[in-house]
Amino acid sequence: MPLEPLSQKEIEDRLAELPGWSLDGDRIARSYRLPSHFAATAMVVHIAQVQEELDHHCDLTLGYNTISLTVNTHTVSAVTERDFALARRIEDLAPGHGAG
């Protein structure tokens, strides 16, 4: 089944369910602040595990105690339901790492 880009309305509706996430061009984006560099690094590893499980990968940047992510479906250069599935999983794991 081919992945279809979501409409602007669909993206806005899904973003309303993910506080902290926003639309950034053709991607959804979020930044997290964590209590330490070690916590941020551990969260990056956890995100990598989820990405492998879903076979869907985002761009992420690790700072001292921050993580910034941008997610889109590269094959269609747009936001799809797959991106929101990954974002939801990241949101679910974030509190366990002390992310805010």
Side-chain angles (χ1 to χ4, degrees), residues 21 24 27-30 51 57-61 68-72 74 83 86:
W21 287 83
D24 182 11
R27 303 166 178 268
I28 56 174
R30 171 87 154 91
Q51 291 176 124
H57 302 82
C58 66
D59 295 324
L60 60 93
T61 303
S68 299
L69 304 106
T70 60
V71 185
N72 81 341
H74 301 287
D83 303 314
L86 177 56

Side-chain angles (χ1 to χ4, degrees), residues 5-69:
L6 296 174
S7 71
Q8 186 71 28
K9 172 79 167 104
E10 290 170 320
I11 293 169
E12 290 170 3
D13 289 347
R14 284 166 178 76
L15 284 173
E17 299 169 5
L18 290 171
W21 287 83
S22 61
L23 185 62
D24 182 11
D26 65 348
R27 303 166 178 268
I28 56 174
R30 171 87 154 91
S31 293
Y32 295 94
R33 180 169 300 280
L34 292 102
S36 67
H37 181 68
F38 186 82
T41 303
M43 186 168 162
V44 166
V45 171
H46 200 167
I47 291 169
Q49 290 174 324
V50 170
Q51 291 176 124
E52 287 297 307
E53 179 185 323
L54 297 177
D55 192 27
H56 189 52
H57 302 82
C58 66
D59 295 324
L60 60 93
T61 303
L62 171 65
Y64 170 72
N65 66 338
T66 60
I67 300 171
S68 299
L69 304 106

